[in-house]
Amino acid sequence: MRNLPTLEFLQLLIPVEDSQFGSPIYDFSQLFPPVTEWRLPQLHSLILMGLSFSYRELAGFFFLVIPQLESVFLGDLLLKDGEWDDFVEWFRQHTAPLVFHPDSNLLYPEGRDYYWRSEEWSGDDGKSYEFMELVANYIVDGGRHPGLRNGECNSDSVKYLTKMKATIEELRAASTCE
């Protein structure tokens, strides 16, 4: 991957475990070098399925390795720590207009989907696509962050950027790439 600086499209479909939740078998660090050591500056379109990431790895991958991303489909991606809300907000505020496909499936440990943490959607499997459509629309059009709890103001979504900003600054400082 270090020697592919002109790559514009990447499709990586990794089979997941044959289980109820489709848990990823492979970890990002098993397939890719550390995010501080490589870049894909021309990559505009990404289809990625079947990996688990730490918060730090995923932040570095999206915002350092592939900063010009315009279209993304994420299937069965497991975030081992941290919150998907942070990434949704960062996509909204810090990327070029991004097409985020609502068929994406964002997971937490124990097989929980991203949409399950929302009070309004909790436990309703049939609403997954509808919720992810809200996420996709929010990234493009703004409005109310889908992860905000009842009673939180729309402006409260900036709270999701605190950890992300610190993580990206730390990764940039450790980067061996220009």
Side-chain angles (χ1 to χ4, degrees), residues 85-86 89 117 147-149 152 155-164:
D85 290 324
D86 298 6
E89 187 64 23
R117 72 175 296 286
L148 288 173
R149 306 267 192 237
E152 289 182 302
S155 60
D156 290 341
S157 64
V158 296
K159 69 182 178 183
Y160 298 124
L161 295 178
T162 305
K163 181 177 179 182
M164 183 66 69

Side-chain angles (χ1 to χ4, degrees), residues 45-60:
S45 183
L46 174 68
I47 298 174
L48 187 61
M49 294 180 68
L51 282 177
S52 62
F53 290 80
S54 71
Y55 185 96
R56 187 175 191 274
E57 289 168 336
L58 195 58

Side-chain angles (χ1 to χ4, degrees), residues 7-28:
L7 186 68
E8 294 183 15
F9 175 79
L10 176 62
Q11 179 175 327
L12 182 60
L13 309 174
I14 299 172
V16 295
E17 288 180 4
D18 187 22
S19 71
Q20 178 183 1
F21 300 114
S23 298
I25 298 171
Y26 293 101
D27 191 74
F28 177 82

